[in-house]
Amino acid sequence: MNRTARAFWLDSPGRGTIREVTLPEPGADEVLVRSLFSGVSRGTETLVFRGGVPESQHAVMRAPFQEGDFPAPVKYGYLNVGVVEEGPEALAGRTVFCLYPHQTRYVVPAAAVTPLPDGVPAGRAVLAGTVETAVNALWDAAPLVGDRIAVVGGGMVGCSVAALLARFPGVRVQLVDADPARAKTAEALGAGFALPGDALGDCDLVVHASATEQGLSRALELLRPEGTVVELSWYGDRPVSLPLGEAFHSRRLVLRSSQVGTISPARANRSYADRLALALDLLADPALDALITGESAFEELPDAMPRLASGEIPALCHRVRYTDPDRDTHA
């Protein structure tokens, strides 16, 4: 049987296309997955789309099943949900999550897919990678009962963090964003909301995810003395200036990074599989549907990606749906 599939490739910065690819015969410990949905992580993927990955970070930024190299041509993405069409008996027919790019069908090692828990619909499970980032951030941040917390930046990652923090007992959590439309999202997630100038200060912890130097400066301003900012933003090739004079030292503020590429040292006894499984369990909460703010067909990606990158399509997670699977396999 000659198997073919279609994949979205970045041909050059700002220009994507759909290519036909040939799939290998799955081996004994591999699975053939038919995609149902994938997700576009607007922050990271649009940075990749515009060619903004600095050369020093090319190796660090590689996705698990990326093909090609930055800046282009490259096949990039990591939020995929599909059905196992062929593979070990324990996985055959299961709906699974995989860190795979936008492609109609693919073959990967069986260990690379994670079955969805009961109660987590396929359309919501595209958020697993982002919720996993939020889990790692909170392992790094170690919030305590009763903390006063701000999340600066109401994008996909910031909203995921706010959603998880809203479950902590006694915590005051406020999502801070320059877009007043994010107030509705915050309400759906169970968090408070404020514009940057109106945000509540004296915070024990601020999680920053706006990817702007103005947002990071505001995050420092919102801290109590000896408070901590956990930096989740990734700026690509853009330099960032910070007010580390002024009261930064006298107030003994802490600024620390968090990045999903490694497990938080605070949970060194956990594996990547443990972290992803936890993220999928947390997606049983229907409130997280508020993070999916748009959808298009796979065939529309070459048109949709430039509009997502420019902000013409405002999105947290933009979901890609896959249809007409019979076109992808030819005897």
Side-chain angles (χ1 to χ4, degrees):
M1 178 178 288
N2 176 31
R3 292 182 171 87
T4 61
R6 287 167 292 142
F8 177 74
W9 278 74
L10 176 64
D11 275 356
S12 59
R15 181 179 177 274
T17 191
I18 291 175
R19 299 185 185 182
E20 188 169 280
V21 297
T22 300
L23 300 180
E25 188 79 19
D29 295 320
E30 293 183 318
V31 289
L32 170 65
V33 179
R34 172 172 56 85
S35 296
L36 298 174
F37 298 99
S38 59
V40 177
S41 176
R42 186 169 176 266
T44 302
E45 285 200 60
T46 59
L47 186 146
V48 169
F49 188 76
R50 69 174 178 83
V53 180
E55 188 173 352
S56 65
Q57 296 300 299
H58 283 190
V60 174
M61 280 291 295
R62 285 193 70 86
F65 295 100
Q66 174 180 323
E67 293 182 39
D69 297 302
F70 301 119
V74 64
K75 183 175 77 174
Y76 192 83
Y78 47 84
L79 303 172
N80 189 290
V81 178
V83 174
V84 176
E85 293 191 320
E86 297 181 34
E89 185 177 351
L91 290 172
R94 298 289 301 274
T95 304
V96 296
F97 177 83
C98 185
L99 297 167
Y100 204 85
H102 309 285
Q103 185 165 310
T104 56
R105 275 189 173 89
Y106 53 92
V107 174
V108 293
V113 302
T114 303
L116 270 55
D118 293 340
V120 176
R124 189 186 306 150
V126 296
L127 297 169
T130 306
V131 173
E132 184 182 8
T133 300
V135 167
N136 206 60
L138 295 184
W139 283 349
D140 280 331
L144 298 175
V145 173
D147 272 358
R148 293 158 294 188
I149 304 174
V151 180
V152 177
M156 191 173 168
V157 171
C159 284
S160 296
V161 171
L164 299 190
L165 284 170
R167 305 174 181 207
F168 277 65
V171 162
R172 183 194 82 189
V173 56
Q174 191 171 57
L175 182 67
V176 180
D177 196 271
D179 182 358
R182 288 287 182 262
K184 185 175 181 181
T185 305
E187 181 181 7
L189 298 174
F193 176 80
L195 296 171
D198 301 326
L200 298 172
D202 201 29
C203 291
D204 303 288
L205 169 68
V206 179
V207 179
H208 179 245
S210 82
T212 66
E213 63 182 47
Q214 295 89 348
L216 184 50
S217 295
R218 185 61 178 139
L220 290 168
E221 292 170 353
L222 294 175
L223 289 176
R224 63 163 172 80
E226 300 192 2
T228 297
V229 168
V230 173
E231 174 60 283
L232 286 183
S233 299
W234 195 71
Y235 299 88
D237 55 0
R238 289 179 291 134
V240 176
S241 298
L242 281 180
L244 298 185
E246 302 182 10
F248 179 79
H249 288 283
S250 63
R251 298 178 67 221
R252 297 179 59 84
L253 303 182
V254 177
L255 174 61
R256 65 167 303 175
S257 65
S258 179
Q259 209 276 338
V260 73
T262 57
I263 298 287
S264 167
R267 295 294 183 273
N269 62 325
R270 305 289 180 89
S271 68
Y272 289 98
D274 292 335
R275 191 176 65 184
L276 179 56
L278 174 58
L280 284 166
D281 285 340
L282 292 169
L283 281 166
D285 186 352
L288 290 164
D289 285 333
L291 302 184
I292 299 171
T293 54
E295 184 176 282
S296 61
F298 169 74
E299 292 79 8
E300 297 169 338
L301 263 181
D303 275 339
M305 282 298 294
R307 297 168 65 204
L308 285 164
S310 70
E312 181 185 344
I313 299 178
L316 293 173
C317 178
H318 188 82
R319 187 166 59 196
V320 179
R321 67 179 182 275
Y322 294 76
T323 56
D324 197 13
D326 289 339
R327 289 175 54 190
D328 305 326
T329 301
H330 307 286

